[in-house]
């Protein structure tokens, strides 16, 4: 009996092909890791290959450990290398790096050490180019194996190019002097070693007779060239990947490596794993329809033997507040009535700036959640940095906030200066801010360093009295230059700037719902909200995450939110001169869809408040909704779980618009000082509708009459901190959500 007997035919064919170059294009949920581990075990147990002759490369330490655990259950793997690219390279360099002029005890610099060195390099330069920008360019150059001289020819000429190349050159000299390598160096130096030292290359080419690479679509140029070098003697290289799931081009991954593999290894055998074991037929059909629009891919078509499953549900809401309420309410309903646990749900976002409204509504509905792979909204650095300025304006005695202010944006004030100021404040029994304002005890040098900070706060404080809360917060963000300090070079930069914008939006929503609210009211409100803990069971929570964080995971129920043009796909992808960025956005949507096992929800708000234009703007639905087939839209009446479908039409009455405003206030009321912070909403705790009826009278199926819209049927009653509402399907105007307090409904 062979180890491969446990595989299906589709998985077995590539696993039992032991010689030559092999590419396995494995669709989402197709069991590729199972196939890969069984192939390695087959080589050892069935074919008698020594584990020392086998190399298996993964992309994360977690994946490497999981692969080891699986293999150890099937075979003895003593001496086998199962590791990440960086771990493999580090191991090689520890033995042979002296050939490159380094010593074996070299230090590996992480992001913190790398940033610190770049800042030292920048100190001698008169430039406004940030350390983050320099770091990105250095990493980009090394991912493509380009020296400073080669990179100078690669990047377009502008006024920044000279400073970038100068910093890169000096950075490399400093790294060599310190006998240090960064993570990118682990790849580039290993490639240089193997390329220039014939005996070292021969040794490792002979050692690794069988090479395996998982998640091959995530390889960058340096990693791919390393694989080609190592496979140079035997050519037995087995790669598994899915170009449709290549979503990391912003950090160097190249989807084209999968396609190029078939060209670079001429006798390459290509196998397809197209059977999906994860999702229902309806979900797989939607994923296939979408991804076929991409051009830079190998042809494959996912299929599944699973049930048809529920239809993919698409919902349009008036704004992001209603979108969040719909998501939170649906989760609550499915847990209470549908047999699900909170851990079965994931809410996926293109950018993490969307999480604020969602977090607030999850709290309102008592849904325990965890922000996966990041911080909750008000705990994110860029948001806390912004809040720090507001705290100082509100309370100048807050030394912790003042220290944070001194650190962002960079003001040339180091830790030593900050500590000296803190000690002087302690000695004088005053605050650091007050000491700065007085100035007479600081000395000429310290006063000079703090003068721009003092001038800035003089301007901010002077402007406060003449502005409303939102206008003032917007003024602070712009005056301080918070978004400019963050930059917009990387994906992470864009996310951070969007978070700052959404923070400003939260202020506007709070001000709109709380007439006469002060800065102190707002700060108190968000503090109270941040203190709420909804995690009753630490192992039973809904996951809130970006799509990038969701790769490799699966959930019974998935919500993909914020499906509007400009957010998903991002604006820069829409306007890009090449189709590459838009294709990556489409791959990202494909990854999001294929995380779902049983149910998939696509949500689209019609309007969002724009920080840039300072007004509420119409949002066109994401093209990915239409591209992934509109056939699979859940009919609300046939849905097995009660839910809200909030649709907008141009004939909305003024009364209905007022209802929407009241609904929007539901979120900010949990921020209002003194408001109830009970996470679970009940009808008894909510305002009652006016007139002769009670909220409990409006159950699903109740026939009602509206003075303007005529007869209709109640689809879903819902309450929140703002009041009591019902969603009704009217014969004349379709679906509307109305406030019972103002709608003047009559039960018939």
């Amino acid at each position: 009996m062979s180890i491969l007997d446990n595989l299906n035919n589709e998985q077995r064919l590539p696993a039992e092909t032991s010689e030559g170059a092999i590419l396995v294009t494995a669709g989402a949920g197709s069991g590729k890791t199972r196939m890969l581990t069984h192939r390695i075990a087959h080589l050892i147990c069935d074919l008698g290959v020594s584990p020392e002759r086998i190399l298996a490369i993964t992309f994360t330490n977690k994946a490497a450990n999981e692969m080891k655990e699986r293999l150890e259950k099937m075979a003895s793997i003593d001496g086998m290398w199962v590791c990440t690219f960086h771990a493999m390279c580090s191991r090689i360099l520890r033995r042979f790096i002296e050939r490159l002029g380094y010593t074996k005890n070299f230090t590996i610099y992480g992001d913190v050490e790398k940033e610190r060195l770049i800042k030292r390099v920048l100190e001698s330069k008169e430039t406004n180019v940030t350390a983050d920008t320099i770091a990105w360019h250095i990493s980009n150059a090394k991912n493509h194996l380009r020296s400073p001289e080669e990179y100078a020819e690669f990047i377009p000429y502008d006024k920044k190019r000279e400073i970038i190349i100068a910093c890169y050159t000096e950075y490399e000299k400093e790294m060599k002097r310190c006998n240090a390598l960064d993570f990118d160096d682990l790849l580039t130096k290993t490639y240089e070693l193997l390329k220039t030292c014939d005996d070292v290359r021969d040794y490792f080419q002979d050692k690794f007779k069988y090479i395996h690479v998982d998640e091959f679509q995530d390889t960058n140029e340096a990693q791919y060239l390393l694989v080609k070098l190592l496979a140079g003697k035997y050519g037995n290289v087995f790669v598994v990947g899915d170009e449709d799931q290549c979503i990391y081009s912003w950090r160097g991954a190249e989807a084209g490596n999968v396609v190029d593999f078939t060209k670079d290894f001429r006798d390459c055998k290509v196998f397809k794993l197209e059977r999906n074991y994860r999702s229902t037929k309806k979900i797989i059909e939607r994923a296939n329809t979408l991804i076929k629009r991409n051009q830079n891919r190998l042809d494959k078509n996912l299929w599944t033997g699973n049930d048809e499953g529920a239809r993919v549900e698409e919902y349009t809401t008036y704004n992001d507040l209603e979108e969040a309420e719909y998501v939170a309410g649906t989760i609550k309903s499915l847990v209470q009535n549908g047999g699900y646990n909170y851990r079965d749900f994931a809410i996926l976002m293109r950018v993490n700036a969307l999480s604020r409204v969602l977090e607030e509504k999850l709290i309102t509905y008592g849904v325990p959640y965890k922000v996966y792979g990041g911080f909750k909204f008000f705990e994110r650095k860029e948001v806390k940095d912004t809040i720090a300025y507001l705290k100082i304006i509100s309370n100048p005695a807050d030394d912790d906030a003042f220290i944070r202010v001194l650190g962002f944006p960079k003001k040339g004030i180091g830790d030593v200066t900050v500590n000296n100021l803190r000690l002087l404040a302690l000695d004088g029994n005053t605050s650091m801010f007050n000491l700065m304002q007085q100035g007479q005890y600081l000395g000429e040098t310290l006063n000079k360093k703090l003068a721009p900070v003092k001038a800035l706060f003089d301007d901010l404080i002077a402007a406060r009295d003449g502005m409303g809360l939102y206008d003032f917060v917007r003024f602070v963000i712009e005056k301080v230059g918070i978004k400019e300090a963050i930059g917009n070079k990387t994906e992470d930069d864009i996310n951070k700037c969007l978070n700052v914008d959404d923070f400003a939006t939260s202020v506007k929503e709070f001000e709109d719902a709380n007439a006469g609210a002060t800065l102190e009211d707002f700060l108190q409100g968000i503090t109270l909200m941040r203190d709420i803990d909804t995690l009753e069971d630490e192992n039973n929570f809904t996951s809130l995450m970006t799509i990038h964080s969701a790769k490799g995971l699966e959930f019974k129920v998935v919500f993909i939110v914020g499906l509007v043009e400009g957010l998903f796909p991002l604006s820069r992808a829409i306007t890009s001169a090449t189709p590459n960025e838009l294709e990556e956005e489409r791959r990202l949507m494909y990854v999001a869809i294929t995380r779902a096992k049983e149910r998939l929800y696509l949500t689209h708000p019609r309007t969002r408040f724009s920080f840039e234009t300072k007004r509420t703007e119409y949002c066109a639905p994401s093209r990915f909704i239409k591209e992934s087939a509109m056939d699979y839209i859940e009919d609300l009446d046939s849905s097995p779980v009660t839910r809200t479908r909030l649709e907008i039409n141009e004939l909305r009455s003024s009364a209905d618009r007022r209802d929407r405003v009241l609904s929007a206030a539901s979120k900010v009321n949990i921020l209002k000082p003194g408001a109830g912070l009970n996470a679970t909403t009940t009808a008894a705790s909510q305002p009652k509708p006016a007139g002769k009826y009670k909220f409990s009278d409006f159950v699903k199926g109740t026939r009602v009459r509206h003075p303007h819209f005529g007869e209709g049927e109640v689809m879903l009653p819902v309450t929140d901190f703002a009041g009591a509402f019902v969603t009704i399907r009217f014969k004349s105007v379709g679906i509307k959500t109305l406030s019972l307090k103002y709608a003047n409904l009559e039960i018939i």
Side-chain angles (χ1 to χ4, degrees):
M1 179 176 177
S2 171
I3 284 178
L4 302 182
D5 291 343
N6 294 321
L7 302 179
N8 63 33
N9 289 334
E10 197 177 44
Q11 296 167 334
R12 180 165 183 153
L13 282 173
E16 66 184 8
T17 306
S18 60
E19 305 300 312
I22 299 167
L23 168 65
V24 182
T25 59
S30 60
K32 65 179 180 63
T33 303
R34 174 181 173 86
M35 179 271 301
L36 184 57
T37 52
H38 276 71
R39 170 193 162 83
I40 294 172
H42 168 66
L43 289 174
I44 297 171
C45 298
D46 297 340
L47 302 185
V49 177
S50 170
E52 296 181 357
R53 306 295 304 280
I54 300 173
L55 171 65
I57 304 174
T58 66
F59 267 82
T60 66
N61 291 314
K62 180 183 178 184
N65 291 331
E66 289 176 351
M67 185 177 289
K68 287 178 185 176
E69 291 174 1
R70 291 195 187 194
L71 286 169
E72 286 170 346
K73 294 177 181 178
M74 295 185 286
S76 173
I77 59 171
D78 291 343
M80 179 181 167
W81 286 28
V82 184
C83 52
T84 65
F85 270 103
H86 292 95
M88 176 193 74
C89 291
S90 179
R91 194 167 176 178
I92 293 172
L93 292 172
R94 289 294 181 193
R95 184 170 177 181
F96 294 105
I97 198 170
E98 291 176 340
R99 303 286 189 93
L100 302 179
Y102 295 77
T103 63
K104 293 180 180 180
N105 64 338
F106 63 86
T107 300
I108 300 175
Y109 277 11
D111 291 339
V112 174
E113 294 86 358
K114 180 179 178 179
E115 182 183 12
R116 192 178 296 127
L117 176 53
I118 292 173
K119 287 179 178 177
R120 289 205 301 269
V121 170
L122 280 169
E123 284 177 357
S124 62
K125 310 285 191 300
E126 293 186 4
T127 178
N128 59 357
V129 179
T130 65
D132 286 343
T133 298
I134 299 296
W136 182 87
H137 278 285
I138 291 174
S139 185
N140 187 45
K142 292 182 177 183
N143 285 338
H144 293 90
L145 298 171
R146 291 186 172 95
S147 66
E149 296 75 21
E150 292 168 331
Y151 195 60
E153 300 298 319
F154 173 74
I155 60 174
Y157 179 80
D158 61 28
K159 59 183 181 181
K160 293 182 180 179
R161 183 173 73 170
E162 189 174 328
I163 194 70
I164 291 169
I165 300 304
C167 288
Y168 183 11
T169 303
E170 191 171 338
Y171 173 84
E172 290 292 272
K173 290 179 180 177
E174 283 295 297
M175 291 289 286
K176 184 70 175 290
R177 186 181 64 82
C178 296
N179 194 41
L181 304 180
D182 58 32
F183 278 94
D184 295 317
D185 284 329
L186 294 176
L187 303 175
T188 60
K189 298 302 180 186
T190 301
Y191 181 81
E192 182 183 349
L193 177 70
L194 297 178
K195 194 73 173 176
T196 58
C197 300
D198 294 347
D199 59 326
V200 178
R201 182 177 65 253
D202 291 344
Y203 172 82
F204 285 106
Q205 285 182 342
D206 188 66
K207 174 177 174 58
F208 298 128
K209 186 175 181 180
Y210 297 95
I211 299 170
H212 304 78
V213 184
D214 197 10
E215 303 290 357
F216 185 67
Q217 77 280 349
D218 292 335
T219 54
N220 59 31
E221 183 176 351
Q223 291 163 335
Y224 182 38
L225 291 176
L226 272 172
V227 171
K228 288 175 64 176
L229 268 181
L230 290 171
K233 181 174 182 178
Y234 295 105
N236 296 327
V237 56
F238 187 97
V239 302
V240 184
D242 182 7
E243 74 282 5
D244 292 336
Q245 296 188 70
C246 181
I247 58 175
Y248 295 112
S249 67
W250 48 277
R251 68 184 190 193
E254 299 193 17
N257 285 349
V258 174
V259 178
D260 291 343
F261 188 87
T262 60
K263 303 173 184 176
D264 295 338
F265 294 87
R266 294 183 180 179
D267 296 326
C268 169
K269 300 179 180 68
V270 179
F271 298 91
K272 299 178 183 179
L273 299 187
E274 297 177 302
R275 181 175 183 176
N276 177 284
Y277 289 91
R278 175 185 301 155
S279 307
T280 64
K281 284 186 172 68
K282 293 288 175 60
I283 294 170
I284 293 301
E285 288 172 358
R286 193 118 188 183
N288 280 336
T289 303
L290 174 77
I291 202 62
K292 285 179 179 178
R293 293 179 176 269
N294 274 7
Q295 300 299 312
N296 189 26
R297 64 187 295 267
L298 300 175
D299 184 50
K300 61 179 176 295
N301 192 63
L302 280 184
W303 65 277
T304 184
N306 296 337
D307 295 337
E308 287 284 325
R311 292 180 179 180
V312 174
E313 302 178 15
E314 178 198 335
Y315 288 89
T316 299
T317 63
Y318 176 59
N319 57 24
D320 55 343
L321 304 177
E322 291 185 352
E323 178 186 40
E325 185 150 23
Y326 164 70
V327 171
T330 302
I331 293 172
K332 193 76 174 180
S333 181
L334 285 170
V335 170
Q336 292 178 341
N337 308 313
Y340 288 95
N341 295 306
Y342 290 117
R343 69 175 66 91
D344 297 328
F345 298 87
I347 306 169
L348 305 185
M349 312 165 288
R350 175 61 183 89
V351 293
N352 60 24
L354 301 182
S355 79
R356 177 187 58 86
V357 177
L358 289 160
E359 288 182 55
E360 293 171 3
K361 286 302 182 184
L362 291 172
I363 291 171
T364 301
Y365 277 81
V367 176
Y369 73 96
K370 180 178 180 180
V371 180
Y372 188 94
F375 296 99
K376 293 185 177 181
F377 183 82
F378 288 105
E379 295 300 319
R380 291 169 187 160
K381 180 182 181 302
E382 60 276 10
V383 175
K384 292 174 74 173
D385 287 336
T386 306
I387 292 172
Y389 281 88
L390 302 179
K391 283 184 173 181
I392 287 295
I393 294 166
S394 174
N395 175 25
D398 190 336
D399 278 359
D400 183 69
F402 190 63
I403 291 172
R404 194 172 193 102
V405 160
L406 293 177
F408 183 86
K410 300 299 182 184
K411 300 174 175 67
I413 299 174
D415 292 341
V416 174
T417 301
V418 172
N419 192 54
N420 288 339
L421 186 62
R422 185 180 64 83
L423 292 175
L424 285 171
L426 287 172
D427 288 342
N429 194 28
T430 187
S431 70
M432 296 169 68
F433 183 88
N434 187 50
L435 196 64
M436 176 190 70
Q437 292 291 82
Q438 293 176 357
Q440 64 262 39
Y441 305 106
L442 298 182
E444 184 179 351
T445 301
L446 200 50
N447 269 322
K448 186 176 180 180
K449 286 186 177 182
L450 292 171
V453 183
K454 183 179 182 301
L456 172 64
F457 276 98
D458 286 345
D459 291 344
L460 295 178
I461 293 170
R464 180 183 180 183
D465 290 340
M467 295 184 181
L469 179 57
Y470 167 69
D471 288 337
F472 176 66
V473 171
R474 191 179 69 194
F475 173 77
V476 171
I477 291 170
E478 294 174 349
K479 183 74 174 177
V480 173
I482 290 174
K483 292 170 66 177
E484 289 78 8
I486 294 171
N488 62 358
K489 191 67 181 179
T490 67
E491 179 103 1
D492 190 46
D493 293 340
I494 294 170
N495 275 323
K496 289 178 179 178
C497 288
L498 288 171
N499 286 336
V500 174
D501 289 349
D502 204 50
F503 172 77
T505 302
S506 75
V507 177
K508 185 178 189 304
E509 292 164 354
F510 182 83
E511 184 179 36
D512 289 345
N514 301 277
T518 65
L519 177 60
E520 287 73 23
D521 292 336
F522 177 76
L523 292 174
Q524 181 179 325
I526 62 174
T527 301
L528 291 172
M529 183 181 172
R530 289 158 68 185
D531 287 341
I532 296 173
D533 185 3
T534 64
L535 292 183
E536 301 171 0
D537 180 353
E538 64 180 11
N539 296 317
N540 190 22
F541 51 78
T542 292
S543 296
L544 184 60
M545 64 183 72
T546 64
I547 302 169
H548 284 99
S549 298
K551 184 148 183 267
L553 304 176
E554 59 184 40
F555 302 89
K556 288 183 179 180
V557 185
V558 169
F559 294 84
I560 308 175
V561 301
L563 285 169
V564 301
E565 291 285 288
L567 280 181
F568 197 14
L570 291 176
S571 298
R572 69 180 187 190
I574 298 171
T575 58
S576 176
T578 70
N580 297 340
E581 288 197 54
L582 186 58
E583 290 209 352
E584 175 141 345
E585 293 288 296
R586 192 173 288 112
R587 292 194 295 269
L588 196 58
M589 181 67 176
Y590 173 82
V591 168
I593 291 172
T594 55
R595 299 311 95 193
K597 298 171 68 175
E598 298 176 4
R599 292 178 177 272
L600 176 64
Y601 296 79
L602 310 178
T603 64
H604 157 233
R606 284 280 183 93
T607 63
R608 289 181 59 83
F609 182 80
S610 170
F611 180 83
E612 298 299 329
T613 63
K614 321 306 187 278
R615 64 175 184 264
T616 298
E617 295 186 338
Y618 173 78
C619 300
S622 169
R623 67 191 66 197
F624 298 149
I625 298 175
K626 185 180 293 185
E627 288 182 358
S628 62
M630 293 292 286
D631 309 52
Y632 302 107
I633 302 176
E634 181 71 351
D635 185 319
L636 202 67
D637 289 339
S638 66
S639 175
V641 179
T642 59
R643 57 179 64 86
T644 306
R645 178 164 184 163
L646 302 169
E647 295 185 336
I648 308 303
N649 63 62
E650 299 302 319
L651 300 176
R652 184 184 306 277
S653 68
S654 60
D656 195 18
R657 291 184 184 276
R658 183 174 62 247
D659 294 334
R660 297 295 182 182
V661 174
L662 291 170
S663 179
S666 65
K667 169 170 67 63
V668 295
N669 277 346
I670 68 174
L671 301 177
K672 187 176 181 179
L677 294 173
N678 212 356
T680 303
T681 61
T682 64
S685 67
Q686 307 305 323
K688 301 294 190 294
K692 59 185 176 180
Y693 302 111
K694 298 181 293 185
F695 173 79
S696 57
D697 295 331
F698 294 87
V699 298
K700 183 181 180 184
T702 303
R703 301 291 299 172
V704 298
R705 182 182 290 111
H706 187 274
H708 299 295
F709 304 141
E711 293 184 6
E713 182 177 329
V714 174
M715 303 177 65
L716 180 67
V718 64
T719 62
D720 58 27
F721 288 116
F725 302 83
V726 289
T727 298
I728 303 169
R729 184 189 294 276
F730 290 101
K731 294 180 180 179
S732 61
V733 294
I735 299 171
K736 288 186 174 292
T737 296
L738 305 175
S739 166
L740 289 178
K741 185 176 181 179
Y742 297 100
N744 197 20
L745 293 170
E746 180 184 359
I747 294 178
I748 57 177

